[in-house]
Amino acid sequence: MGSTTTRSLGGAENSGINSVRVDGLGLVELGWKYKSVPAASHGRSAADYVASGVSLGDLQTPLLTLDAAAMDSNVERMARWCAEKGVLLAPHGKTTMAPQMWRAQLDGGAWGITLANVSQLRVAHAFGVRRVMLANSLTDPQAINWLANTQGPDFFVVSWVDSLQTVALQELVLDAVPGSVLDIIVELGGEGGRTGVRSISGALEVARAVHASKHLRLVGVGGYEGSLAHTADAGALATVDGYLSALKGLHEQILAEELYAPGVDRIVTAGGSAYFDDVVSVLAGCVSDGTQGDEAGGSAGGERVDVIIRSGAYMVHDDGFYRDISPFARGGQATAGQPPFASAMHAWARVVSQPEPGLAILDAGKRDMPVDEGMPEPQFLGSELGGSMVALAGASISAVNDQHCFLRFDPATTTVNIGDVVRLGLSHPCTAFDKWTLIPVLASTANPGSPGTGYQVVDLIHTFF
């Protein structure tokens, strides 16, 4: 991507996290508040428990697990793709709120971590994340004040604004913090979307206000195309591409008016986990190493322009929404040398009741599993947790209560007993992690029919929601 000698926002080579603080999670004492581990483990440190050689069968249901081999593959896959496309990656950390997983993404070459609010920023600061994009507008005076007094060389944060009122509010609060400056991205939205200025002309007004402010400096433009579409059909993709073209146009007009802060490299950012290929296709032309001038998206001052995507679900992926809509699973890419991501999360639930033929009640519910993007998917059945399992064909989850779910099956072809264990595929990692404060990581869950050593617990992931 060119020389980095004048980069103020840096590149992936300078990103990081405080590994000493992350490793310190291994000292956390296991106890009653961690529902994924049995009472026999209480009083032991997380690291000692893992080192003792525990496996899936030593845990208890209901349970959420992660697959280490799948996550490693997904991280490497995404890092290689971004490098090939010449874009940077700031994965959305709110998906997992797990510093151990953030470290894996940063070690894999990510530019930084994206977050959504100030409480999440405090988690990142506590674990020494050096570079954060806050994909939201700060309007709480205490949050603005905290950031102004906390940011520095080891905690760089760039946040968004989408209105003149937000600019004025931040200016007012920052007047009380002498010398304070926040780096700002102007957010462009779209009709029917979430946040973001609804027109290029309106976004330019906001950009001009940031440019004229005492405490804000404009470093980029951004937005979220995922709020404008939810499928991968032609109409949805056309909507996404139209929005991205408008975002590119906004960046070009800001360049033309010289509204970006001088001497600071620029960011053009979009891209959740569903349409990041479209983002790169449309916005890749914005990338510049600062030596090409305005014609290549740069500027006379030599500042770089980086396209940063913020996909958050790719590391874990799923067996539902993202499996169906991910760029690596549609459009023929999976058969053209572009293997899809692998689902790295599964729920495990035990049969606690069989009140009717063809109905089994499992001990996992919406307090344990996500249901906002589709019901859990019954995949395998076994007589014990950690043992061999058989494919559970034709079964489905028909309803989910707080602590139970309803497994429907054909009793003529499938035998289910009290105490049996079902492995469930899940949809939407963003609403899976918040239900667990501790998540066991297994070496691999790829072959439930013959688990072998793949069910060894190799880590315990701590989350901070």
Side-chain angles (χ1 to χ4, degrees):
M1 299 271 303
S3 171
T4 61
T5 55
T6 62
R7 288 181 62 83
S8 58
L9 298 183
E13 69 278 359
N14 293 321
S15 65
I17 191 170
N18 189 317
S19 282
V20 173
R21 297 179 193 174
V22 177
D23 289 339
L25 292 171
L27 302 177
V28 172
E29 183 178 294
L30 302 181
W32 55 266
K33 60 183 177 180
Y34 300 117
K35 62 181 179 179
S36 58
V37 292
S41 68
H42 295 178
R44 305 179 67 176
S45 73
D48 286 345
Y49 183 65
V50 172
S52 69
V54 294
S55 65
L56 176 63
D58 297 306
L59 303 172
Q60 63 187 29
T61 61
L63 179 63
L64 178 74
T65 64
L66 298 172
D67 183 317
M71 290 193 296
D72 288 348
S73 175
N74 292 344
V75 168
E76 189 278 333
R77 175 80 180 82
M78 189 62 151
R80 185 173 69 250
W81 187 85
C82 288
E84 291 171 353
K85 300 298 183 181
V87 300
L88 301 180
L89 172 65
H92 214 320
K94 60 91 179 172
T95 298
T96 64
M97 287 306 297
Q100 293 153 286
M101 297 175 70
W102 296 351
R103 177 169 63 180
Q105 293 168 309
L106 291 165
D107 287 349
W111 171 90
I113 297 296
T114 298
L115 295 169
N117 57 41
V118 73
S119 66
Q120 295 173 6
L121 279 181
R122 290 199 296 265
V123 175
H125 181 258
F127 284 92
V129 177
R130 293 184 58 195
R131 188 181 295 115
V132 177
M133 183 183 299
L134 181 70
N136 212 341
S137 295
L138 286 175
T139 58
D140 184 318
Q142 294 190 69
I144 297 168
N145 188 281
W146 177 86
L147 179 57
N149 284 286
T150 306
Q151 66 178 359
D154 294 325
F155 187 54
F156 168 79
V157 179
V158 56
S159 61
W160 295 10
V161 298
D162 70 350
S163 74
L164 296 175
Q165 285 186 326
T166 302
V167 172
L169 173 61
Q170 293 188 356
E171 280 282 276
L172 180 63
V173 174
L174 293 171
D175 277 340
V177 187
S180 58
V181 176
L182 300 185
D183 288 306
I184 296 296
I185 283 174
V186 171
E187 181 187 3
L188 181 68
E191 290 300 324
R194 195 166 58 194
T195 53
V197 191
R198 293 303 200 247
S199 67
I200 292 180
S201 60
L204 283 170
E205 288 186 28
V206 176
R208 294 178 191 123
V210 174
H211 177 72
S213 69
K214 295 180 297 181
H215 298 289
L216 309 178
R217 63 177 184 175
L218 184 60
V219 301
V221 298
Y224 177 50
E225 74 292 340
S227 66
L228 304 175
H230 207 67
T231 64
D233 58 42
L237 296 179
T239 297
V240 167
D241 288 351
Y243 165 75
L244 295 169
S245 295
L247 185 63
K248 181 180 179 181
L250 173 62
H251 164 68
E252 292 169 344
Q253 291 195 50
I254 289 176
L255 279 176
E257 290 192 32
E258 299 183 350
L259 298 177
Y260 285 126
V264 179
D265 297 322
R266 293 83 188 265
I267 291 172
V268 180
T269 179
S273 299
Y275 306 108
F276 57 81
D277 58 334
D278 298 271
V279 171
V280 171
S281 177
V282 175
L283 298 183
C286 298
V287 174
S288 169
D289 65 5
T291 64
Q292 305 296 319
D294 291 324
E295 293 182 0
S299 70
E303 295 88 353
R304 290 170 54 104
V305 179
D306 282 316
V307 170
I308 302 180
I309 61 174
R310 308 185 310 277
S311 310
Y314 73 94
M315 183 175 181
V316 177
H317 200 50
D318 71 8
D319 283 308
F321 176 71
Y322 287 115
R323 176 184 60 189
D324 295 335
I325 202 172
S326 169
F328 295 160
R330 56 179 167 86
Q333 294 194 67
T335 59
Q338 302 281 0
F341 294 128
S343 178
M345 67 172 181
H346 299 96
W348 309 78
R350 198 176 299 273
V351 177
V352 295
S353 177
Q354 283 201 85
E356 302 169 12
L359 172 63
I361 306 299
L362 309 182
D363 65 350
K366 63 179 70 173
R367 305 295 189 189
D368 313 297
M369 307 179 295
V371 296
D372 60 312
E373 291 289 357
M375 288 292 187
E377 177 184 274
Q379 295 178 331
F380 292 92
L381 174 71
S383 61
E384 59 180 339
L385 185 64
S388 295
M389 309 187 86
V390 296
L392 193 52
S396 66
I397 300 296
S398 61
V400 179
N401 297 157
D402 284 354
Q403 313 292 168
H404 301 90
C405 62
F406 293 64
L407 175 70
R408 301 285 181 176
F409 61 95
D410 183 354
T413 58
T414 302
T415 300
V416 177
N417 297 305
I418 299 292
D420 281 355
V421 174
V422 177
R423 193 188 89 172
L424 299 156
L426 304 176
S427 179
H428 203 202
C430 299
T431 50
F433 279 69
D434 62 318
K435 297 166 176 56
W436 297 86
T437 53
L438 192 74
I439 306 174
V441 181
L442 306 179
S444 175
T445 56
N447 186 14
S450 180
T453 59
Y455 280 171
Q456 178 184 359
V457 176
V458 296
D459 204 355
L460 295 172
I461 295 295
H462 300 256
T463 68
F464 296 88
F465 285 92

